[in-house]
Every structure is written in C-alpha cells, then in structure tokens.
Amino acid sequence: MIEKRDFYIDGAWVAPSQPNDHHVIDPSTEEPCAVISLGSQADTDAAVAAAKAALPGWMATSPAERIAAAERILDIYNTHTEEMAKAISLEMGAPIDMSRQQQVTSGSWHIKNFITAAKAYEFDAPLGDHAPNDRIIHEAVGVCALITPWNWPMNQVTLKVIAALVAGCTMVLKPSEESPLNAILFAEILDEAGLPPGVFNLVNGDGAGVGSQLTAHPDVDMVSFTGSSRAGKLISKAAADTLKRVSLELGGKGANLIFADADEKAVKRGVLHCMNNSGQSCNAPTRMLVQREIYDQAVETAAEVANKVTVGSAHDEGRHMGPVVNEVQFNKIQDLIQKGIDEGARLVAGGTGRPDGLNRGFYVKPTVFADVTPDMTIAREEIFGPVLSIMPFDTEEDGVAVANDTPYGLTNYVQTSDPGRANRLARALRSGMVEMNGKPRSAGSPFGGMKQSGNGREGGTWGIEDFVEVKAVSGWTPDA
C-alpha cells in the first residue's frame, strides 16, 4: 500500500495541520491501496494565502513566460506517463491499457492544445481601428479553487490547471479523494517544472471539508468545479455570498439519435461509447433513440455488442471494461438497474449483480434496456455506469423532442447520412456539444453544457477565457 502523502503548499510538500487519514480503495479488489490526509480549515487557509501572495507576481509575468512554463510541464509530464497510467488504474479502476491510451493522453492532449491556444490568444489588444487610444486587457481573474472529479482525473486537472496557469491565475487544486494519486504525481511534475512558490497548491480533502472551505473562502476569486449537478448547485449557493465567479461542468444524459439511414456501425459505436470507462463519463450517450424502421434490429445489435464486452481487473492488460469506482457508485447503479426492471423496461443484456466469475470488486454487468419510455427513471437520471436505455422514435421532430426532454444539456449525438438533417439537428438539440456520425471534437473545441449540465467551457480559447477578466482601458498611449 502506498504510504500517506502530504500537501503541496507554497512550493513545498508540507504535513497536514492535524491527522485525518483517508484510505484510497482499489476498486478492482476492494482493498486499500493508499492513505492520504484530508485537509482542515488551517490547510485550506494556508494554501489560499500562498496563492494570494503569489498572485501579483504571476499576473505580472508575460504570456510568453507562462506558456514556457506550460511547455516545461508538458515535457516532464511525457516522462511520467507509465507511472501516471498505473496510478489512475489503481485508484479509479480504468483498465491499464485504457488508462495508458485514453486517461493519460487526455492530459498531454489538453496541455498541448492550451499551449497552442495561448500563443494565439490576445491578452492585450486595441479595441479597434476606430479607437486607437482604447485597449482591451484580459487579465487573470485571481485566486482560483479547482475542484476535480475521479472519473477522468488528468483530463479535468489539466483542463483547469493549465488554463488557469496561462491566464496568469494562481490556484488551489482539490482533487477527488477517490482518485488523488494522479494529482499528487501531477503536483510533483509542476514542482519539477519550477513554478514560483504559491502559483500552484494542492490540498487533499472531501467535498464537505476542503471543497466547501474553498467555495466559501473570501480570498478565492473563482471556483471551477466538475462533478454532479447536485454539488454544483450547492457550490453556486455557497459562492454567492462573496460573488465569486463559478464555472461548472456537471452531469449529462446524452441522447444518441440513430436514423434509418445511419451507417452500419452506428449502433455498435454507440454501445461501446456508452460502456467506455465503465459508463463513468458525463458525456456518455446513455439514451439511444432509434428510428422505428430499424428499431428491432438496433436492439438486437446492441444486446449482441454489450454481451461481448468483457469485464475484468483494471490491472490486467487487454480491451475490457473495469470496475466502477467505489461501493457507493456500485450500489447506486444496481438500484437503478433494478428500478428499470421494476418500471417495465425490457432487459436485453446484463442486469443486476456482478458478472460471472467476479465475486469481489465493484464490477457491473454491461446492461442494455429496450422499450424505455421518457418518463422512466433510467431515462431521466444520470446513472454513471454501463447502462444503456433504448427507445424508438418516428419523425425527426419526435426524436428532437425526446432528446431535449431532459434537465441536462451536455452532449448529444446524431447518426445520419443526410447532411441537411445533421445540420438541422445540430441547431435544434439543446446541448453544449453535438457530435455527428462518430466524429469527435477537434483540438481547441470547447467542452461544456447548457441547463443543469453547467455553464463552463473548457479547452482551447474558451478555456482560457473562463479564467480571465476583461478590462477596458481608455486614454491608452500607443507605444509608450
């Protein structure tokens, strides 16, 4: 078991102010794999104070200096990929090959893309030719609290930390207590990159402790949070007293509209996407809406694909699905699968209980329900597990109506060979992202949602803009 790790505050590793041990559980075995300390108010205060003290100096650095720091971080990150992959696999259950190929590389992808975006970003520019003495300055919003989840840890840590860094902000990172080891390693990488003390700080803790302390702290200027919509509402309320900026990336219940003219791999692609990362992705296409002409065949195909998905330990190499993150998540998913059965959905693959041969570990059967109706619990709630709900629709208008009938609005998906229809749906679907015919978003494209999926936009230029204030200056003397 990995021994207890300390906090990174003001450029040094420091012991917690008081003992408060937390065991990190390996979801593949249900055994403790590491011990961390959970921070107290004193630890939070020390980290925020360090970030506040470092802010004037870091804000005053040039964009070129901040970009150079991000480039150093990327170079060092790329020398720790195997260590990072093993940490993520151990603590949250991503199969080791998937961890190497998707989890770790999402971090390097975002760092690289932020470097590109920052080089093109106009931190300081004239208002326009009509106003030669007016200037628009984009300056750091200030001290930022970054609260990240366990499901795609390096994806979310880099989206927040690197954007804040190049914007000139200082920060306190609170990673999920379920998957803190990758963040500790990332702090070591930033330390090796030689950031000035206090620019980046890390305090481990849970949401009720360090998370709430950061959200309400009077010296924190912004909270960037990724997690559940329930927690996002609580953070918004707590931050209101100090009128902090709050950027939220929350849950989703993505619809995948498959039309009769979709390509032959559309259903298989949708099932595998839903099951990726054991279904623990806020942008997973968990509602498969299928045009009635091909509905029966789609259900049959979906069941076949799900039944071929193998489940096993995160420590084993190969293409399989690992466990979900913890017992609480496992029990929630089991309850919702049973709820689907009780409410009359037709179970065509999977079901309750662990897969055959696995009696320990938080393993869930890849599960597919057919004949789901929009009012059923499994069609309304974010399950955050490998559970797919399939329902038929008749017309394009019917499909859009069902897709939009959700409090969430993160990602929707469209499968059709009709370009005109695809473009119509891209505008009609109420979500921050629409992906069509299996094409993923490109480098620099923003990640974020509408409605109860949050208000942030992470990645590329939009990710940097989340962390800057816009200052209008008149009476500027050019070239002075």
Side-chain angles (χ1 to χ4, degrees), residues 408-412 429-434 441 445-451 453 456-457:
Y408 297 106
L410 189 58
T411 315
N412 285 309
L429 292 168
R430 293 285 295 161
S431 55
M433 297 169 284
V434 180
R441 290 172 301 108
S445 180
F447 186 101
M450 302 176 180
K451 301 190 284 186
S453 289
R457 289 294 182 273

Side-chain angles (χ1 to χ4, degrees), residues 29-43:
T29 65
E30 301 185 41
E31 297 294 331
C33 64
V35 181
I36 62 168
S37 294
L38 301 181
S40 67
Q41 184 71 57
D43 301 310

Side-chain angles (χ1 to χ4, degrees), residues 264-284:
E264 60 182 12
K265 295 182 179 179
V267 173
K268 178 180 180 179
R269 186 168 62 239
V271 175
L272 294 178
H273 191 173
C274 177
M275 305 298 169
N276 189 44
N277 204 38
S278 302
Q280 300 171 127
S281 301
C282 52
N283 62 341

Side-chain angles (χ1 to χ4, degrees), residues 170-216:
T170 58
M171 68 208 77
V172 180
L173 171 66
K174 189 210 82 67
S176 169
E177 69 276 19
E178 302 292 341
S179 59
L181 304 180
N182 67 91
I184 292 170
L185 175 57
F186 191 70
E188 293 175 352
I189 291 169
L190 267 62
D191 183 64
E192 186 178 343
L195 294 181
V199 170
F200 171 86
N201 306 273
L202 179 145
V203 179
N204 284 308
D206 56 20
V210 174
S212 295
Q213 293 159 16
L214 285 169
T215 300

